[in-house]
Amino acid sequence: MIALSTDYMNEIPSTYEIEKILKKISEASFSHIHWCHDWDGNHIYSIHEMDQIQEWLEKYNLKVKAVHATEGGKRPNEDGKYKYRNTYDNRKDYTSENEYNRLAGVELIKNRVDLAQRIGAKEIVLHMQLPYVAMEESEEFTKGYWTQVFKSFDELEWYCKSRRIKIAVENLLGTPNQHQINQFDLLFERYDKDFIGFCYDSGHGILTMDDDPLELLRKYKDRLIAMHLNDNVGIRNKEDLKDDVKVASHDLHRIPYEGILNWDELASLVAVSPYELPITMEIVCRDGKEDEFLKRAYDNGVKVNNKIKELRED
């Protein structure tokens, strides 16, 4: 049993191509998917689209490990750098200073909760890109930011619990590690395990934590409920750390064992966590050799999955 993200060929919008992707995943022996389409932006799934996805899953005998939710409107890009400050006019943003846009962002997340419930997932994965520059400049801004975030999660808590869907907040690129530690500490202190958990992205860990790519997994393994497993080679040019767009360009989403991550150590940490197998790989086929890519992905994914199982049995 292994899960693969649905955007391994990058996101393809047509329904014909989406069904084709699901068919290929099934034929490659994967048992589960991670629904990753529309992980960014403002798309709202209708009940009819949800029914269509469920019909495809039944047709190709696939189950769903998780749904990737969206934090809303895409952040503006300015002089080659992402603007991580939540702006007043950013549409459907659950962290927004604009109360109408914040409420619209909550509505967008509820839509993904509904999708997860309809297609059989137990959690949604959510980005929370911190406006850390503005936080460093203003305590007042930081206080206001967290006021809006807590309002949104407070409103989502009953909605999620009543549907038995958890939110897994993901470690990200572009945010210094100490800010992310503060973020997770605040969230996990305020909300219980039945509502908020941790999604560990191993590729992001490699790029943001040179000394210890597994630092956040090690620190928050007790809240681990979702994973985006992929390998990477790190950032070769340290000057790229000064430019968020260039950092993102190093996010290669390679198959496990095709980069620098210590997969045995990762397996040992996951083995003592509450994470429910199978593992989920969020990887990208970049050379167009889809069938070969899927075979390597499945074989290497099974190695990681079986290692975790063996450690748990011991």
Side-chain angles (χ1 to χ4, degrees), residues 242-258:
K242 299 177 181 179
D243 191 312
D244 296 328
V245 174
K246 288 183 180 178
V247 169
S249 73
H250 289 282
D251 194 16
L252 302 178
H253 290 273
R254 290 188 175 184
I255 294 170
Y257 301 103
E258 296 187 0

Side-chain angles (χ1 to χ4, degrees), residues 2 8 19 54 57 61 136 138 158 182 201 236 270-271 277 306 308:
I2 305 290
Y8 70 87
E19 182 179 3
Q54 180 59 31
L57 295 172
N61 194 30
E136 291 174 350
S138 170
W158 175 86
N182 181 60
D201 186 304
R236 293 171 294 281
V270 176
L277 293 173
N306 286 350
I308 296 168

Side-chain angles (χ1 to χ4, degrees), residues 65 86 91 99 102 111 127 134 139 186 200 265 306:
K65 187 70 177 77
N86 56 328
R91 301 177 66 189
E99 186 66 5
R102 185 194 69 79
N111 179 258
H127 286 187
E139 290 185 11
L186 286 171
Y200 176 67
E265 187 177 3
N306 286 350

Side-chain angles (χ1 to χ4, degrees), residues 152-169:
S152 293
F153 281 124
D154 288 351
E155 292 163 11
L156 285 163
E157 185 169 11
W158 175 86
Y159 196 86
C160 289
K161 286 184 174 180
S162 67
R163 289 156 177 78
R164 297 184 179 180
I165 304 294
K166 298 179 183 180
I167 295 177
V169 181

